[in-house]
Amino acid sequence: MDRHPPAAPTTRRTTGLAVGLVAAIALHSSHPASAAPTGEFDWPLRPRPHVERRFDKPARDWLPGHRGVDLAGVPGQDVLAAGAGIVVFAGEVAGRPVVSIDHPGGLRTTYEPVRARVSIGSRVGRGSRIGELDAGHEGCAAAACLHWGLRREAGAGNPREYLDPLALLHLSPLRLKPVGAR
């Protein structure tokens, strides 16, 4: 004789959800938390670089700040397109080699100091080699640092705006919340 009454449908549903969630976590945990992002953009250096200096948005475009992030690398290391787009600049700015790529949605990424291996008008995909990292970068302790910048171009009533390129990577950790109180 069964002493326990049958479980209510909600309890079975909650239990099934919990079992499915545990299985999903087990599958996901077999991959390291620092795995490549799954969005449209990825790191421009591989393996995943150390961030030497973070984005520091100036209060106004003309004020001091750090309009990108500095990523530690090694001289001659391949620099990759963070996302698909069209090369709009490959040359020198103030004596430093720079590559700029326009992406859908009005975004532009910049990579500096990079000796370009692409030309203006080239279509590139996420992870495409765009050049090699030059040695040195003022203010960076590593032998070579990639300054990776991002801005939203002006359009549709919006001004040009500098953004943190790390936001492209969707690096926020997965957070699980309880289904219901017990």
Side-chain angles (χ1 to χ4, degrees):
M1 172 178 212
D2 187 11
R3 293 182 198 179
H4 302 289
T10 347
T11 306
R12 274 187 247 140
R13 201 173 19 248
T14 305
T15 304
L17 179 61
V19 169
L21 195 53
V22 168
I25 291 170
L27 273 173
H28 181 72
S29 66
S30 66
H31 300 289
S34 63
T38 57
E40 296 176 37
F41 292 89
D42 202 349
W43 292 97
L45 296 176
R46 289 202 185 105
R48 179 181 175 168
H50 178 263
V51 177
E52 292 288 322
R53 185 172 175 201
R54 295 202 169 271
F55 178 75
D56 179 19
K57 185 176 182 170
R60 300 270 189 252
D61 277 351
W62 62 88
L63 292 174
H66 192 238
R67 295 163 178 83
V69 295
D70 291 342
L71 306 175
V74 295
Q77 181 174 359
D78 284 345
V79 177
L80 312 172
I86 298 173
V87 176
V88 293
F89 184 82
E92 292 201 1
V93 174
R96 304 286 290 171
V98 177
V99 175
S100 295
I101 300 172
D102 277 359
H103 306 278
L107 298 177
R108 176 176 289 179
T109 53
T110 57
Y111 311 80
E112 182 255 321
V114 176
R115 294 278 166 210
R117 297 296 178 244
V118 291
S119 55
I120 295 172
S122 300
R123 290 189 178 278
V124 294
R126 172 181 151 176
S128 297
R129 180 176 175 260
I130 60 172
E132 290 97 32
L133 185 59
D134 257 6
H137 180 67
E138 190 175 328
C140 185
C145 265
L146 174 68
H147 177 81
W148 181 33
L150 171 67
R151 74 178 188 217
R152 177 174 290 119
E153 295 301 297
N158 296 321
R160 183 172 80 178
E161 177 184 15
Y162 291 98
L163 304 168
D164 184 350
L166 296 179
L168 294 172
L169 303 177
H170 306 291
L171 297 173
S172 299
L174 177 63
R175 302 254 194 264
L176 300 176
K177 294 186 177 187
V179 176
R182 287 195 167 214

